[in-house]
Amino acid sequence: MEMPTMQTTPSTQIVNIGGYDIGGSNFTVMAGPCSIESYEQFMETAKGVKASGAHILRGGIWKMRTSSKDFQGLGKNSFDFIKAVCKETNMKLVSEVTDARQIEEVYDIVECFQVGSRNMHNYALLKELGMQRKPVLLKRGFAALITEWIKAAEYVTVGGNPNVILCERGIRTFETSTRNTLDLNAVAFAKKNSHLPVIVDPSHAVGIRALVPDLAYAAAAVGADGIIVEVHPRPAEALSDGMQALTLDDFKNMMMKLDKILTAIDRPLHKVAPHAN
Amino acid sequence: MEMPTMQTTPSTQIVNIGGYDIGGSNFTVMAGPCSIESYEQFMETAKGVKASGAHILRGGIWKMRTSSKDFQGLGKNSFDFIKAVCKETNMKLVSEVTDARQIEEVYDIVECFQVGSRNMHNYALLKELGMQRKPVLLKRGFAALITEWIKAAEYVTVGGNPNVILCERGIRTFETSTRNTLDLNAVAFAKKNSHLPVIVDPSHAVGIRALVPDLAYAAAAVGADGIIVEVHPRPAEALSDGMQALTLDDFKNMMMKLDKILTAIDRPLHKVAPHAN
Amino acid sequence: MEMPTMQTTPSTQIVNIGGYDIGGSNFTVMAGPCSIESYEQFMETAKGVKASGAHILRGGIWKMRTSSKDFQGLGKNSFDFIKAVCKETNMKLVSEVTDARQIEEVYDIVECFQVGSRNMHNYALLKELGMQRKPVLLKRGFAALITEWIKAAEYVTVGGNPNVILCERGIRTFETSTRNTLDLNAVAFAKKNSHLPVIVDPSHAVGIRALVPDLAYAAAAVGADGIIVEVHPRPAEALSDGMQALTLDDFKNMMMKLDKILTAIDRPLHKVAPHAN
Amino acid sequence: MEMPTMQTTPSTQIVNIGGYDIGGSNFTVMAGPCSIESYEQFMETAKGVKASGAHILRGGIWKMRTSSKDFQGLGKNSFDFIKAVCKETNMKLVSEVTDARQIEEVYDIVECFQVGSRNMHNYALLKELGMQRKPVLLKRGFAALITEWIKAAEYVTVGGNPNVILCERGIRTFETSTRNTLDLNAVAFAKKNSHLPVIVDPSHAVGIRALVPDLAYAAAAVGADGIIVEVHPRPAEALSDGMQALTLDDFKNMMMKLDKILTAIDRPLHKVAPHAN
C-alpha cells in the first residue's frame, strides 16, 4: 500500500462559479435534473431548488448512455430556454460535455463544464478544457484510483486552466444493492493530498432516492466542499435516472438538516444570491 | 440491480451493553487498542478514552493475522489484567472470538463477542454465538454483499440470540491509497432494510490515522448508531495496526467535534457512566 | 504494484491422493456433485465420471449456505453410503470441512479435506488441518489476494502437513453476468511463486453450465495441475448449484477435448485406476 | 445475477484485416511494440514477429498516459516510416485512436482502429468510427460489464460499420500482484452472446512478461479468435510497458506452443502471407 504524503495545511484552490467560492469557508450546493427535458420541467426545478437554498444549477444537455437506443438528451433544442431559466433564476449552469467539439457550442450557456465519470480518462477532452477560461467539474472515473483522478486534473491545470473541482460520485465494486459505492475515504484523502476543491454527488453514488440525503449529510461531515444532487419535480416521469432524483420536497427537507450539520462544524451554506428580477 | 424494500419506520432492535443502549436515541462510542499488549498499555488507553467520553472498551485478545508468523495476541496471559482494567474503569469489553472453543474461555471477561470480517461467513461460529446470552458485534465481510451480511446475522438470531450489532468496516475494492473503502451506502441501506443496530469502524475502513476522524464524522451524519475506533497511547509502538490508531489526544479532539455534529442532528452521545471507584 | 520474485524452476510439492500424484507430470480431474444428495445420485455420478476418466470424487457432506434456511447437506446420514460408493468405484473423496470438530467425524471417509472459499481466512481451522496426515485442498478466498492465499497455506504447512493443494475458484468482482471471475493470472502467478500444486474449479468460477468446459480447457492450457468440476446426473433436480453442474454427457465430451489439449502440451491425464471389483 | 441467453450456434461476424479473416476457423496473432519508438525498433520488431508467424502488426502512435508528463507517443513524426515498415513486411497495422480528429490523420497507415480500454465509453469516438470503412478493435473498459462492452460495440455497428472485433484485456479488481485480472469468463460469455469476433490481450491483462505466454495459451483454449501481444526487441529499453513486453525469442517460443494447442483443437493459426518483396 502506498504511503500518502499528508499536507498539514492544504492550500485549496478556490474556484468561483457565479459569485460562489467553491473550496473556501462555505459549502456549495448544485442541484437540478439529470436531463433537461423541457422548459417547464427545468424552470420548475430551478425555482424550486433555489427557493430551498441551492446555489448552482445542474442539468444534462447531452446524455452518455450505455445503449445507443436510449434517450440522448435534447441537445441544441434546449439552448434558448436554458438561457431563459438561468436568467430568470439568476443561477449559473454546470453541464456535461462529452466531446471537445461541444465546448464551443455551449460556451454561452454553461458556466462550468462537467467531465463525466466515463470520460475522466478522455485526455483529448481534458486537454481542450485546459485551454478554456471556465471552470471544470471533473468526476472521478468509476474505476479510477484516487491518484489517477488527481493526475487527470493535471491534464487540465497544466494546460493553463487552474479552476478544476474534483467530484466523487461513487465507484464500481462488487456490491449490487446500491448503484455504486460512495467512496468518502477518497474525499478525505483528496482533501489532504490535492490543492483542489472536492465535492460529492450522492445521487449517482447510491442510486436510491430514500438514501441520497443521508449520504449528502455524510459528505458534509467528512469535509467535502459541496454536493451536486439530482432533483426532479416528478421523478416517476423522468427520462433518465428517476430512481435517484429527489422531489422538490425531499430536497427542501435535506437542505434543512444539512444546514444544521454545516452550522455545527462552522462550514455554513453560502447565502443565496437574489433572483435576477 | 435488486430493488430494495424500504421500511419507512425501521423497528430497531435495541442491544444493551453495560447499560448503554445501542440502536436507540443516543450514539455509542467503543474505543481501545487493536491488540491488548500489556496491563499498562490497556489501562492507560482505557482511562484515556473514558475521560474523553468513550462508553465501551475494545481490544484484541487473539488476533487474526494473514501470516502465521505475525503477533497473534496475548491470549490467556491477559485475562486477569483485562478484568482489572474493566473493573477499575467500569467499562465493558467487546473482543473478537475466532473459534467456537474460545467463547467459553473468555465468557467472564468479554461482554460482547466480535465476529471479525474474515469470519463473517464462518457459520459454525455464528451458530455457536446464536446459543449465547451475550451480544454479538458482526463485522461485515470485506467482500460480503450487504444482503449476505444481513443474512449472516440471521445465523445468530434464528439460534435464539437477538442481540446482534452490524458493523461496517470497509470493503475491498481496486483502490489502494486507503486500506479499504468505507461503504456508508451500506450503513444507510442496512439501517432501512434491517431491524438491527449498525455501527461503523472507521479505523480499519480507511487505515490512515489522519483520516479516521473525518470518516467518524461521516458515520455519525449518515445515521450510524455508533462507532468502534482504535486508539493507542503511542501508535508508533503498537504491535498491530499502528498506522491507523488514534493517539489519546486525537481521540479527544475527535470526540469534541463528533459531539457537535451529533447534537445538531438530535442524536447525542450517551452520558458516560461514572468510574467504579 | 509489488514485483513478484520469479522462480525459474518451481520445485513443486507433489501431493498424492489415492495413488494419483497431483502437481507432477500428469493432469488430475476431480468430479462429482455439489451436494451428496442420496446413495443413488452419488453412485450414478461416481460411476459416470469414472467411466469418462475422472480420478477423484468430490461431493459436499455439509454445505455452507448464505441463508440459514437453505439445504445444509445430509451430514452424518450419508456416511455409510459414501463409504460404499468409494469402495465400489475405487475412488477417493475430497470433501469440505467447515469446522475443526468435523475433521474427526469424517476422517474415515474423506481422503482430502477441502477448505472452502469462505473459510480461507479461518486460521483456527487451518491450524487444525496442519496437524492432520491427510492432504488439504485450499480454495482461494473469493476476495483474497494471491499472496494471502499462499500465506494461508502456510498455516497448514508450518503445522506439519506439507500436503496442500491450492485451488483457484473465481474471485468476486463488479461483473455480474458470470457468478465469479475466474482468475487464471493467479494460477500462472501461483505456479511460479509457490511450491504447491495449483488446480482450478471452473464450475464455481463461471457458474454457467455451457461455459464450464471452455474454462476447464483454459485451466489446462495455462498450466494448472488439475481441475475440480461439478457434475450431476440431472442438474435441474440438484439441491444446490444446479445451474453450473455438468451432465454426465457434458462431462464426457469435455474430457475428450481436454485430453487433446493436454496431450498437445505433454501434460497427459493420469491413467484411471481400475474399479475395486 | 442476470440469466444469459445462450445461442447454440453463434453466427460470427467475420472481420477481414489484410487478407486474414478474424472470427472464422483460423486463429489470428497481432504483435508489436506498445509504442512505436523509432524506424529501427519498429522494423526489427515487425520482421521478427512475422518470422515467427504473426499476422498483423500492432503499435502505438499516440499513447494514453495517466500522467500528462509521461511519453505520449511519436505522433506524426512516425507516419512515413510506419508506411515503409508495413510495406516492407507486407503487414497491416492496428493502432489506437484516442480522439475523433485523429481518424483522418492516420487513415492511410492504420488498417484497423483500436479503441483503448479508457475510451470504451467514449461514445463520440465510437459514433465517428461507425461511419468509417475500416475495422474497429474495441477493447473492453477495465471496469466495464460484459453487457456494456457488447452495447458499446453497437455504437459502431448501428452507425453502419459492422466490422468490430471485441478485445478482452483484463479488468481492474482488488488483486495487485498482477497488473489487471484477465477475464476469460468474459471471452467465453461474449463468444456465446455476441455475433462479433473476440480476441485477448494477455500483455495488459497480466502485466508480467514471464506469465504472458501462459495466458495466451489459455486464451486459445477458451475459444478466443486471436490474441494481440506486446513484443519489443529489448524490453528493458522500452519507453512504455517494458515489464510486459515479450522479447522476440519469447514470442517465437510462445508461437510454437500455441501452434500445438491450436492444432489439437482444430483451430490452426492462419498461414502467413509472404513478404512484399
Side-chain angles (χ1 to χ4, degrees):
Chain A
M1 200 178 302
E2 297 171 25
M3 273 297 308
T5 344
M6 288 300 160
Q7 304 172 8
T8 42
T9 42
S11 58
T12 299
Q13 166 80 21
I14 304 290
V15 178
N16 189 285
I17 301 179
Y20 297 109
D21 276 346
I22 300 168
S25 51
N26 292 91
F27 193 85
T28 307
V29 176
M30 308 177 181
C34 175
S35 301
I36 296 174
E37 300 172 0
S38 70
Y39 169 75
E40 290 72 20
Q41 172 247 20
F42 194 46
M43 182 67 95
E44 184 178 357
T45 310
K47 287 188 171 172
V49 298
K50 174 145 193 175
S52 298
H55 310 103
I56 295 166
L57 274 177
R58 62 147 291 152
I61 298 172
W62 296 283
K63 299 303 300 170
M64 293 195 84
R65 305 303 293 271
T66 303
S67 169
S68 55
K69 291 153 197 162
D70 289 340
F71 174 62
Q72 310 268 327
L74 289 185
K76 298 184 193 181
N77 302 322
S78 57
F79 288 4
D80 285 343
F81 77 71
I82 289 174
K83 261 190 220 174
V85 170
C86 289
K87 195 177 169 208
E88 165 85 11
T89 58
N90 193 21
M91 293 178 90
K92 299 295 184 186
L93 179 66
V94 52
S95 193
E96 183 173 3
V97 284
T98 60
D99 185 64
R101 294 165 296 190
Q102 294 171 345
I103 297 171
E104 206 184 325
E105 279 194 88
V106 295
Y107 207 86
D108 283 350
I109 53 175
V110 171
E111 190 62 25
C112 173
F113 298 110
Q114 178 180 313
V115 177
S117 183
R118 286 178 279 202
N119 270 323
M120 193 205 83
H121 296 288
N122 186 340
Y123 302 133
L125 180 59
L126 296 178
K127 284 178 184 171
E128 201 75 31
L129 290 167
M131 294 183 283
Q132 309 302 320
R133 302 229 157 199
K134 289 190 170 180
V136 174
L137 180 73
L138 179 63
K139 291 207 167 181
R140 179 181 180 191
F142 58 74
L145 298 171
I146 304 171
T147 50
E148 292 172 336
W149 183 31
I150 292 174
K151 279 182 188 147
E154 289 177 16
Y155 270 91
V156 180
T157 57
V158 301
N161 184 350
N163 293 307
V164 179
I165 301 163
L166 299 172
C167 179
E168 158 64 28
R169 46 75 75 202
I171 57 173
R172 184 167 275 186
T173 68
F174 61 82
E175 183 55 64
T176 54
S177 288
T178 55
R179 182 170 181 179
N180 289 287
T181 296
L182 177 60
D183 182 5
L184 292 183
N185 283 2
V187 175
F189 189 93
K191 284 294 294 174
K192 289 239 180 359
N193 291 277
S194 158
H195 68 293
L196 300 170
V198 183
I199 70 167
V200 168
D201 172 353
S203 307
H204 286 87
V206 69
I208 301 168
R209 179 179 313 115
L211 307 184
V212 169
D214 291 336
L215 280 315
Y217 309 143
V222 88
D225 296 302
I227 53 171
I228 180 164
V229 186
E230 289 189 0
V231 180
H232 195 286
R234 286 162 298 280
E237 300 171 13
L239 296 180
S240 57
D241 286 352
M243 263 188 63
Q244 72 199 30
L246 298 180
T247 65
L248 289 167
D249 268 355
D250 291 334
F251 181 75
K252 188 179 175 186
N253 293 331
M254 182 189 78
M255 288 298 281
M256 288 189 293
K257 185 164 175 185
L258 202 53
D259 182 50
K260 288 185 192 171
I261 294 170
L262 289 163
T263 302
I265 59 172
D266 294 317
R267 194 81 195 282
L269 288 159
H270 286 288
K271 256 189 80 172
V272 176
H275 266 56
N277 37 19
Chain B
M1 199 181 306
E2 294 171 29
M3 274 298 306
T5 346
M6 289 299 159
Q7 302 171 10
T8 40
T9 41
S11 59
T12 299
Q13 166 81 18
I14 304 289
V15 178
N16 190 285
I17 301 179
Y20 297 109
D21 275 346
I22 300 169
S25 51
N26 293 91
F27 193 84
T28 307
V29 176
M30 307 177 182
C34 175
S35 301
I36 296 174
E37 300 172 2
S38 70
Y39 169 74
E40 291 73 19
Q41 172 246 22
F42 194 45
M43 182 67 94
E44 184 179 355
T45 310
K47 287 188 171 171
V49 298
K50 174 144 192 177
S52 298
H55 310 102
I56 294 165
L57 273 177
R58 61 148 290 150
I61 297 172
W62 296 284
K63 299 304 300 173
M64 293 195 83
R65 304 303 293 270
T66 303
S67 169
S68 55
K69 292 152 198 164
D70 289 340
F71 175 62
Q72 310 266 327
L74 288 185
K76 298 183 191 182
N77 302 321
S78 57
F79 288 5
D80 284 344
F81 76 71
I82 289 173
K83 259 189 218 173
V85 170
C86 290
K87 196 178 168 209
E88 165 84 12
T89 57
N90 193 22
M91 294 178 89
K92 297 298 184 186
L93 178 66
V94 51
S95 192
E96 184 173 3
V97 284
T98 60
D99 185 66
R101 294 165 296 188
Q102 294 172 342
I103 298 171
E104 208 184 326
E105 277 193 89
V106 295
Y107 206 87
D108 284 349
I109 54 174
V110 171
E111 190 62 26
C112 174
F113 297 109
Q114 179 181 313
V115 176
S117 183
R118 286 179 278 202
N119 269 323
M120 192 205 86
H121 296 289
N122 185 339
Y123 303 133
L125 179 61
L126 296 177
K127 284 178 184 172
E128 201 75 31
L129 290 167
M131 294 183 283
Q132 309 301 322
R133 302 234 159 196
K134 289 191 170 178
V136 174
L137 180 72
L138 179 62
K139 289 209 167 180
R140 180 181 180 191
F142 59 75
L145 296 171
I146 304 170
T147 50
E148 292 172 335
W149 182 34
I150 292 174
K151 279 180 189 150
E154 288 176 16
Y155 270 91
V156 180
T157 57
V158 300
N161 184 350
N163 293 307
V164 179
I165 302 164
L166 298 171
C167 179
E168 157 64 26
R169 46 76 74 201
I171 57 173
R172 185 168 273 186
T173 68
F174 60 82
E175 182 56 63
T176 55
S177 288
T178 54
R179 182 172 180 176
N180 289 286
T181 296
L182 177 61
D183 182 5
L184 292 183
N185 283 2
V187 175
F189 189 93
K191 283 295 295 175
K192 290 241 180 356
N193 290 277
S194 158
H195 68 295
L196 299 171
V198 183
I199 70 167
V200 169
D201 172 353
S203 307
H204 286 87
V206 70
I208 301 169
R209 179 180 314 114
L211 307 184
V212 169
D214 291 336
L215 280 316
Y217 309 143
V222 88
D225 296 302
I227 52 172
I228 180 165
V229 186
E230 289 188 359
V231 180
H232 195 286
R234 286 162 297 280
E237 300 171 14
L239 296 180
S240 57
D241 285 352
M243 264 190 61
Q244 72 198 29
L246 298 180
T247 64
L248 290 167
D249 268 356
D250 292 334
F251 181 73
K252 187 179 174 185
N253 293 332
M254 182 188 80
M255 290 297 281
M256 288 190 294
K257 185 163 174 183
L258 203 52
D259 182 50
K260 289 184 191 171
I261 294 171
L262 289 163
T263 302
I265 60 173
D266 295 317
R267 196 78 195 286
L269 288 159
H270 286 287
K271 255 187 84 173
V272 176
H275 266 56
N277 38 18
Chain C
M1 200 180 303
E2 296 171 26
M3 273 296 309
T5 345
M6 287 300 159
Q7 303 173 9
T8 41
T9 41
S11 59
T12 298
Q13 165 81 20
I14 304 291
V15 178
N16 189 284
I17 301 179
Y20 298 109
D21 276 346
I22 299 169
S25 52
N26 294 91
F27 193 85
T28 306
V29 176
M30 308 177 181
C34 175
S35 301
I36 296 174
E37 301 172 359
S38 71
Y39 169 75
E40 291 73 20
Q41 172 248 20
F42 194 45
M43 181 67 95
E44 183 178 356
T45 310
K47 287 188 170 171
V49 298
K50 175 147 192 173
S52 298
H55 309 102
I56 295 165
L57 273 176
R58 63 147 289 150
I61 298 172
W62 296 283
K63 299 304 300 171
M64 291 195 84
R65 305 303 293 270
T66 303
S67 169
S68 56
K69 293 153 196 161
D70 289 340
F71 174 63
Q72 310 267 329
L74 289 184
K76 298 185 193 183
N77 302 322
S78 57
F79 289 3
D80 284 343
F81 76 71
I82 289 174
K83 261 190 219 174
V85 170
C86 290
K87 196 178 169 209
E88 164 86 11
T89 57
N90 193 20
M91 293 177 91
K92 299 295 185 187
L93 178 67
V94 51
S95 192
E96 184 173 3
V97 285
T98 60
D99 185 64
R101 294 164 296 190
Q102 293 171 344
I103 297 171
E104 206 184 326
E105 278 194 87
V106 296
Y107 206 87
D108 284 351
I109 53 175
V110 171
E111 190 61 26
C112 174
F113 297 110
Q114 178 180 313
V115 176
S117 183
R118 285 178 279 202
N119 269 323
M120 193 205 83
H121 296 288
N122 186 339
Y123 303 133
L125 180 59
L126 296 177
K127 284 178 184 172
E128 201 75 31
L129 290 167
M131 294 183 284
Q132 308 302 321
R133 304 231 159 198
K134 290 191 170 178
V136 174
L137 181 73
L138 179 62
K139 291 209 168 181
R140 180 180 179 191
F142 59 74
L145 297 172
I146 305 171
T147 49
E148 292 172 337
W149 183 32
I150 292 174
K151 278 182 188 148
E154 289 176 16
Y155 271 91
V156 180
T157 57
V158 302
N161 184 349
N163 293 306
V164 179
I165 301 164
L166 299 171
C167 179
E168 158 64 27
R169 46 74 77 201
I171 57 173
R172 183 167 275 186
T173 68
F174 61 81
E175 182 56 65
T176 54
S177 288
T178 55
R179 183 171 179 178
N180 289 288
T181 296
L182 177 60
D183 182 5
L184 292 183
N185 283 2
V187 174
F189 189 92
K191 285 294 294 176
K192 290 239 179 358
N193 291 277
S194 158
H195 67 293
L196 299 171
V198 183
I199 71 167
V200 169
D201 172 352
S203 307
H204 286 86
V206 69
I208 301 168
R209 179 179 313 115
L211 306 184
V212 169
D214 290 336
L215 279 316
Y217 309 144
V222 88
D225 296 302
I227 52 172
I228 180 164
V229 186
E230 289 189 1
V231 180
H232 195 287
R234 286 162 297 281
E237 300 171 13
L239 296 180
S240 57
D241 286 352
M243 263 189 63
Q244 71 199 31
L246 299 180
T247 65
L248 289 167
D249 268 356
D250 292 333
F251 181 74
K252 187 179 174 186
N253 293 332
M254 182 189 77
M255 289 298 281
M256 289 190 294
K257 185 163 173 183
L258 203 53
D259 182 49
K260 288 186 193 171
I261 294 170
L262 289 163
T263 302
I265 59 172
D266 293 318
R267 194 82 195 283
L269 288 158
H270 286 288
K271 256 190 80 173
V272 176
H275 266 56
N277 38 19
Chain D
M1 200 181 306
E2 295 171 28
M3 273 295 307
T5 346
M6 290 298 159
Q7 303 172 8
T8 41
T9 40
S11 58
T12 299
Q13 166 82 18
I14 305 289
V15 178
N16 189 284
I17 301 179
Y20 297 108
D21 276 346
I22 300 169
S25 52
N26 293 91
F27 193 85
T28 306
V29 176
M30 307 176 183
C34 175
S35 301
I36 296 174
E37 300 171 1
S38 70
Y39 169 74
E40 291 72 20
Q41 172 247 21
F42 194 45
M43 181 67 93
E44 184 178 355
T45 310
K47 286 188 171 171
V49 297
K50 174 145 193 177
S52 298
H55 310 102
I56 294 166
L57 273 177
R58 62 147 290 151
I61 297 172
W62 296 284
K63 299 303 300 172
M64 293 195 84
R65 305 303 293 270
T66 304
S67 169
S68 56
K69 291 153 197 164
D70 289 340
F71 175 62
Q72 309 268 328
L74 289 185
K76 298 184 191 182
N77 302 321
S78 58
F79 288 4
D80 285 344
F81 76 70
I82 289 174
K83 260 190 217 171
V85 170
C86 289
K87 197 180 168 209
E88 165 84 11
T89 57
N90 194 21
M91 293 178 90
K92 298 297 185 187
L93 179 66
V94 51
S95 193
E96 184 172 3
V97 285
T98 59
D99 185 65
R101 294 165 295 188
Q102 293 172 343
I103 297 172
E104 207 184 325
E105 278 194 88
V106 295
Y107 206 87
D108 283 351
I109 52 175
V110 171
E111 190 62 26
C112 174
F113 297 109
Q114 179 180 314
V115 177
S117 183
R118 285 178 278 200
N119 269 323
M120 193 204 85
H121 296 289
N122 186 339
Y123 302 133
L125 179 60
L126 296 178
K127 284 178 184 172
E128 201 75 32
L129 290 167
M131 294 182 283
Q132 309 302 321
R133 302 231 158 200
K134 290 191 170 178
V136 174
L137 180 73
L138 180 63
K139 290 208 167 181
R140 180 180 179 192
F142 59 76
L145 297 172
I146 304 171
T147 50
E148 292 172 336
W149 182 34
I150 292 174
K151 278 181 190 149
E154 288 176 18
Y155 270 90
V156 180
T157 57
V158 300
N161 184 350
N163 293 307
V164 180
I165 302 164
L166 298 171
C167 178
E168 158 63 27
R169 48 75 74 201
I171 56 173
R172 185 168 273 187
T173 68
F174 61 81
E175 182 57 64
T176 54
S177 288
T178 55
R179 182 171 180 177
N180 289 287
T181 296
L182 177 60
D183 182 5
L184 292 182
N185 282 3
V187 174
F189 189 93
K191 285 293 296 174
K192 290 242 179 357
N193 290 278
S194 158
H195 67 294
L196 300 171
V198 183
I199 71 168
V200 169
D201 171 352
S203 306
H204 286 87
V206 69
I208 301 169
R209 179 178 314 115
L211 306 184
V212 169
D214 291 337
L215 279 316
Y217 309 144
V222 88
D225 296 302
I227 52 171
I228 179 165
V229 186
E230 288 189 0
V231 180
H232 195 287
R234 286 162 297 280
E237 301 171 12
L239 296 180
S240 58
D241 285 353
M243 265 189 61
Q244 72 199 29
L246 298 181
T247 64
L248 290 168
D249 268 356
D250 292 334
F251 181 73
K252 188 179 174 184
N253 293 332
M254 182 189 80
M255 290 297 282
M256 288 190 294
K257 185 163 174 183
L258 203 53
D259 182 51
K260 288 185 192 172
I261 294 170
L262 289 163
T263 302
I265 60 173
D266 294 318
R267 196 75 196 286
L269 288 159
H270 286 288
K271 255 187 82 172
V272 177
H275 268 231
N277 37 15

